[in-house]
Amino acid sequence: MSNSEFDTAIEDIANNISNITLTDTEVEMVSLTAAKEIAHTLKSFSGRSEHLDFFIVSVDKYYIRYHEGTQDESLKEFVFASICSKIIDEAGDFLLCRPDLKTWPQIKTALRQKFGDRINRQVLSEQLNFLNRNKNESILDFIERIKL
C-alpha cells in the first residue's frame, strides 16, 4: 500500500468515525458505567482528620465530573449515593445523625467542621522549628513539654 493509499484509507476511517453518533440514552449509559468504575476507586473516610483533605479532593473531582456535569437525575442520585457509601465508621455515624445534609457541598462543610484539623499545620510547623531543649533539661522533660 502506498502512502497516498494509506492516507486515503485513514481519511475514510476518520470520516466513518465522525459519522457515528450516540443517542442520549447511550451517552447516559456510558457516563453511568464510568461513574461506577470511578466510584470503586474512591477511598473511604472514617473520621480521621489526617485523611479528610485527601478524601474531599478526590470526591470533589468525582462530583464535579459526574454530578455537576450531567442533567441525568439517575446519574446524580447514583453519584451522591456512591459518595455517601464511602463515609464510614465514626464519620458514617455522624452522617446518619444529620438527615439535613442532602448535597455533597453540605456534607463536605459538615465533615470539615466535625473532623477537620483545628490546628493550622503551617503555624504548628513554624512553632516546632523554634523549640529548643533548655540548658539543663533532660530529653524526656523536653518531650513532655512539647506534647500537645
Side-chain angles (χ1 to χ4, degrees), residues 28 119 136 138:
E28 289 171 4
I119 299 170
N136 292 322
S138 73

Side-chain angles (χ1 to χ4, degrees), residues 46-60:
S46 63
R48 294 184 58 186
S49 63
E50 62 269 22
H51 297 151
L52 182 58
D53 286 338
F54 177 80
F55 176 75
I56 286 175
V57 167
S58 63
V59 170
D60 273 345

Side-chain angles (χ1 to χ4, degrees), residues 19-118:
N19 291 330
I20 296 174
T21 57
L22 297 175
T23 66
D24 288 344
T25 303
E26 290 169 327
V27 169
E28 289 171 4
M29 289 303 298
V30 168
S31 294
L32 181 59
T33 301
K36 285 179 180 179
E37 292 300 317
I38 299 298
H40 289 303
T41 68
L42 293 174
K43 300 288 184 205
S44 296
F45 177 68
S46 63
R48 294 184 58 186
S49 63
E50 62 269 22
H51 297 151
L52 182 58
D53 286 338
F54 177 80
F55 176 75
I56 286 175
V57 167
S58 63
V59 170
D60 273 345
K61 289 178 185 176
Y62 178 71
Y63 181 82
I64 289 166
R65 171 71 188 223
Y66 295 105
H67 189 279
E68 290 182 354
T70 186
Q71 299 301 317
D72 181 2
E73 290 303 317
S74 62
L75 179 56
K76 288 182 176 190
E77 289 174 17
F78 173 81
V79 167
F80 185 72
S82 296
I83 292 169
C84 290
S85 75
K86 297 298 182 173
I87 303 171
I88 60 172
D89 300 336
E90 183 183 352
D93 293 343
F94 169 73
L95 195 58
L96 285 174
C97 294
R98 295 289 309 269
D100 58 308
L101 303 175
K102 304 215 182 287
T103 66
W104 167 241
Q106 291 173 340
I107 291 173
K108 177 172 51 172
T109 299
L111 290 175
R112 280 192 171 133
Q113 290 171 349
K114 174 74 174 168
F115 300 103
D117 284 339
R118 304 233 188 301

